[in-house]
Amino acid sequence: MRTEAPPNSTQPRAAVGVTLPIYLDNHATTPLDPRVLESMLPFLQGKFGNPASRSHSFGWEASKAVDLARQQVAHLIGAAPEEIIFTSGATESDNLAIKGVAESDCDRGRHIITVHTEHKAVLDSCKHLEHCGFEVTYLPVQNDGRVDLDAFGRALRPETILVTVMAANNETGVLQPIAEIGAICRERRIAFHTDAAQAVGKVPINLAAQNVDLLSISGHKLYGPKGVGVLYVRKSSAVTVAPQIHGGGHEHGLRSGTLNAPGIVGLGKACEIAKNELPEEACRIAGLRNRLRERIMSELDGVTINGSIEHRVPGNLNVSFAGVQGEDLLTALDDIAVSSGAACTSDHVEPSYVLKALGLSDDLAQASIRFGLGRFTTEPEVDYAAGRVIETVRQLREF
Ligand SMILES: *Cc1c(COP(=O)(O)O)cnc(C)c1O
């Protein structure tokens, strides 16, 4: 890990209590909480049993640990343990929910509604279904990144079988009106799925009170391990999901394959920690995010915040700096890990489709930075990052 200022810096980098580089990309992935790691280690060492082994203590031990994790996940989101299906991550959960409902319900209709700003796991699953004869409506968003409920109402058809709208966006952190959309879907008996990979553990979710039929979770977005996730499937709903991975009949036959016991134990622990610490942590992280925003906005002109600030996860700040290239900014900010509003495809730089859906020009979308603050972000780190951003934007604008 680099701890000294790079030699090309023009100003001294006073960084008291800061270890460089600083990680402010918690939407891409979160570090494993040390308490999560500790909970997992026994299941990577002596406790190696297969949870499906019913005839000896190795299996029982692993099975008991998976049961506890199932309860911990369920408890965080207000669900019942039997509604939790373990998967390999939110990508698989999204695929299972969308393709699974489409396959199971295609006799009732072949129309699906989603939103332009969804994660690729949702958009590409929908694209795949279009090739299979389904019709998909991609709803636009308003300038604040939120779905217009009137436009949603107009998109509904008698043959609509599935609505999939994310809880929190991975670029802007914007929260969608999940309760309202869920209520409308329930009234019309349409399956409602939400990709909550960026929301679970960050904002309170209580499925006992919300009309959500299917919900995706990713372990590595809430300080758990990578390669493990959950699909919540509401038991009392009429929604049925056709399995997409066959063999062995694990997870009520919905997701076959030997359970990733260490990963599942870690995800359970991560959910337990989130449940206990969420209110206080959300408040602390929102405070740091607001501090970062105020510093930047008070020192620089031509800064805009992308997406609703009110309906947003605490750790997100997505800002555009008029007159600079996001890629130049990222290159210059070599001691801070953030993402820009530009995605590098194999041969060129594409402005973010999420920011463009909010009405940003290509230039402004590319001049954007996503800051993702998290559990381990400190105040000195935020102050250092703010100083570096201000200094760098000024320098780039001078050229
Ligand atoms: C990270 C993410 C995913 C994918 O999750 P994996 O567990 O990495 O497959 C899906 N949706 C959203 C919104 C995400 O942020």
Side-chain angles (χ1 to χ4, degrees), residues 218-262:
S218 171
H220 72 101
K221 305 290 174 72
L222 75 156
Y223 313 98
K226 294 168 182 64
V228 64
V230 158
L231 181 66
Y232 156 87
V233 182
R234 184 180 292 275
K235 218 179 157 199
S236 65
S237 84
V239 172
T240 53
V241 178
Q244 302 299 305
I245 295 180
H246 303 95
H250 307 76
E251 301 295 274
H252 313 298
L254 265 184
R255 204 285 188 176
S256 288
T258 298
L259 294 183
N260 169 8

Side-chain angles (χ1 to χ4, degrees), residues 141-381:
V141 291
Q142 307 170 119
N143 289 340
D144 67 357
R146 304 241 299 166
V147 169
D148 177 348
L149 287 173
D150 291 332
F152 168 64
R154 286 194 298 275
L156 290 163
R157 302 181 196 167
E159 64 271 23
T160 308
I161 54 165
L162 173 68
V163 171
T164 171
V165 177
M166 72 200 324
N169 186 269
N170 44 297
E171 289 190 36
T172 61
V174 167
L175 301 167
Q176 296 294 356
I178 294 311
E180 290 87 339
I181 293 171
I184 295 168
C185 289
R186 177 64 54 83
E187 215 170 82
R188 301 217 181 195
R189 297 168 177 277
I190 299 169
F192 177 43
H193 166 250
T194 186
D195 176 343
Q198 296 287 348
V200 170
K202 317 294 166 62
V203 292
I205 290 183
N206 181 7
L207 295 174
Q210 277 166 326
N211 297 313
V212 172
D213 296 304
L214 301 153
L215 177 143
S216 303
I217 302 176
S218 171
H220 72 101
K221 305 290 174 72
L222 75 156
Y223 313 98
K226 294 168 182 64
V228 64
V230 158
L231 181 66
Y232 156 87
V233 182
R234 184 180 292 275
K235 218 179 157 199
S236 65
S237 84
V239 172
T240 53
V241 178
Q244 302 299 305
I245 295 180
H246 303 95
H250 307 76
E251 301 295 274
H252 313 298
L254 265 184
R255 204 285 188 176
S256 288
T258 298
L259 294 183
N260 169 8
I264 289 168
V265 165
L267 175 52
K269 186 67 185 177
C271 288
E272 183 195 68
I273 295 169
K275 180 77 186 175
N276 291 337
E277 302 183 359
L278 193 154
E280 211 180 299
E281 179 170 291
C283 192
R284 187 186 74 84
I285 294 175
L288 289 177
R289 189 265 317 275
N290 294 343
R291 183 181 178 98
L292 179 63
R293 180 190 58 180
E294 278 150 28
R295 291 257 162 137
I296 292 173
M297 304 277 291
S298 66
E299 293 282 330
L300 293 173
D301 296 324
V303 181
T304 47
I305 301 201
N306 300 314
S308 166
I309 194 76
E310 184 191 349
H311 302 284
R312 179 186 289 254
V313 294
N316 181 282
L317 185 67
N318 190 310
V319 278
S320 296
F321 301 94
V324 303
Q325 286 282 319
E327 286 302 290
D328 294 344
L329 197 48
L330 283 203
T331 308
L333 291 174
D334 54 4
D335 51 3
I336 302 171
V338 288
S339 286
S340 84
C344 291
T345 57
S346 50
D347 55 348
H348 60 300
V349 184
E350 280 272 322
S352 148
Y353 68 90
V354 171
L355 296 180
K356 288 191 70 176
L358 270 63
L360 270 72
S361 65
D362 284 14
D363 280 350
L364 213 50
Q366 297 206 8
S368 303
I369 298 269
R370 174 186 73 182
F371 297 95
L373 284 64
R375 177 172 294 162
F376 303 106
T377 306
T378 65
E379 193 172 279
E381 285 180 335

